Amino acid sequence: MTPIELYPHAASAAWSDTGPRASSVSLRGVTRRLGQAQALADIDLDIAAGEFVALVGPSGCGKSTLLRVIAGVEDIDAGEVRIAGAPASDVPAKARDLAMVFQSYALYPHLTVFRNLALPLEVRRLERAEVEARVAQAAGMLDIAYLLNRRPGLLSGGQRQRVALARALVRAAPLYLLDEPLSSLDARQRAELRGEIARLHRTLGATFLYATHDLGEALAMADRVAVMRDGRIEQMATPDTLRHAPANAFVADFIGQQASSLAAAMQEARAGKLQ
């Protein structure tokens, strides 16, 4: 049987019987130095289990570094990281129960979509039936079942990003870290996948931490948004609070500039439709 033939029969046996899982995340005094510079400076952060939190800020503010520190890909110089209440600072990345989606798709070009999705599960030595079931369910959730026999080089950017998301989903992790996954897509693809990510969060019940340079994206998707600058969190609040009660001039200016850019882009789009 080919992977595509397996799909209609496999989904019910996937990970749904485990029920929704979610991990809390807590950082205390986390500092990360790169040479003389501080990529992260004394970060305190609490994310509740099942919450969707977005990280925004100008380039170089520390969003991606923060995700990599939580993932265990980068070490910290001071402070503590706790995941699901347990100390994680000394836990290697492969032992942390989480999944990460990168800005680059990071797909294996010589493998089919099915094999790209199955590989993380095969490495964990799961039974073949469970691998097929998880791949089928993730492919169904992201509407890529018809792509399972293709290789990444034959896919569009939006399709490749869906495959990257599905590869994270098969892990059935309680914590998902997404590092600007939509930045390389066009506006239509971003809008489409933004809705998919929000839907996946609601469906899975897992904790999502999402780094993006697009404030509009963050405000539309997240329960709370952390605005960062120079390795620090300037304010972390609900979208409404950020809009109406910014904590300082930087946050107010950042939100104002982003809002102006969004309004200008919308005007240009409308003007283009009228021409």
Side-chain angles (χ1 to χ4, degrees):
M1 274 187 161
T2 65
I4 198 71
E5 290 168 342
L6 283 169
Y7 168 71
H9 311 289
S12 62
W15 66 86
S16 57
D17 59 335
T18 63
R21 299 185 302 147
S23 290
S24 60
V25 178
S26 179
L27 277 64
R28 289 291 178 270
V30 168
T31 297
R32 167 66 173 163
R33 300 185 184 90
L34 297 175
Q36 298 300 314
Q38 287 198 115
L40 298 175
D42 198 28
I43 293 283
D44 288 335
L45 177 67
D46 288 299
I47 301 172
E51 193 173 17
F52 192 132
V53 170
L55 306 174
V56 298
S59 296
C61 69
K63 302 186 297 292
S64 295
T65 301
L66 183 55
L67 291 187
R68 291 195 294 267
V69 160
I70 294 171
V73 177
E74 292 195 23
D75 295 327
I76 59 176
D77 296 291
E80 182 184 42
V81 177
R82 299 180 75 90
I83 298 176
S89 301
D90 296 324
V91 176
K94 65 181 180 181
R96 301 190 187 191
D97 194 7
L98 54 82
M100 193 164 186
V101 180
F102 301 94
Q103 180 177 353
S104 60
Y105 312 118
L107 302 176
Y108 295 104
H110 62 292
L111 299 180
T112 64
V113 169
F114 180 89
R115 292 282 295 130
N116 266 279
L117 302 189
L119 191 59
L121 303 177
E122 293 170 347
V123 169
R124 295 164 62 187
R125 300 184 182 278
L126 297 186
E127 294 291 335
R128 182 66 181 178
E130 184 174 1
V131 171
E132 292 171 351
R134 289 196 183 197
V135 168
Q137 187 167 353
M141 292 177 75
L142 283 159
D143 194 26
I144 58 169
Y146 68 101
L147 301 176
L148 288 175
N149 290 322
R150 299 186 194 178
R151 287 185 169 80
L154 300 176
L155 308 181
S156 69
Q159 289 171 332
R160 287 195 293 270
Q161 191 60 74
R162 285 177 183 273
V163 173
L165 288 168
R167 186 176 56 187
L169 287 183
V170 298
R171 292 280 311 279
L175 172 61
Y176 289 85
L177 309 178
L178 300 96
D179 189 8
E180 301 203 36
L182 308 184
S183 61
S184 60
L185 304 180
D186 62 36
R188 181 188 60 79
Q189 292 172 326
R190 284 200 307 272
E192 184 176 299
L193 278 175
R194 184 166 61 225
E196 289 291 340
I197 291 171
R199 181 182 62 81
L200 289 171
H201 174 252
R202 293 192 300 270
T203 301
L204 296 172
T207 306
F208 277 38
L209 186 54
Y210 187 99
T212 177
H213 64 278
D214 186 329
L215 179 65
E217 192 170 273
L219 296 176
M221 298 170 68
D223 299 315
R224 289 190 296 159
V225 178
V227 181
M228 297 186 67
R229 174 176 62 161
D230 297 335
R232 300 180 184 275
I233 295 177
E234 295 287 333
Q235 185 177 5
M236 183 168 175
T238 64
D240 280 347
T241 299
L242 287 177
R243 290 188 188 99
H244 303 299
N248 54 40
F250 170 79
V251 175
D253 184 60
F254 179 77
I255 292 175
Q257 288 181 1
Q258 293 277 329
S260 297
S261 298
L262 179 60
M266 291 177 67
Q267 285 182 340
E268 289 179 6
R270 284 196 293 266
K273 288 180 180 179
L274 292 174
Q275 291 176 355

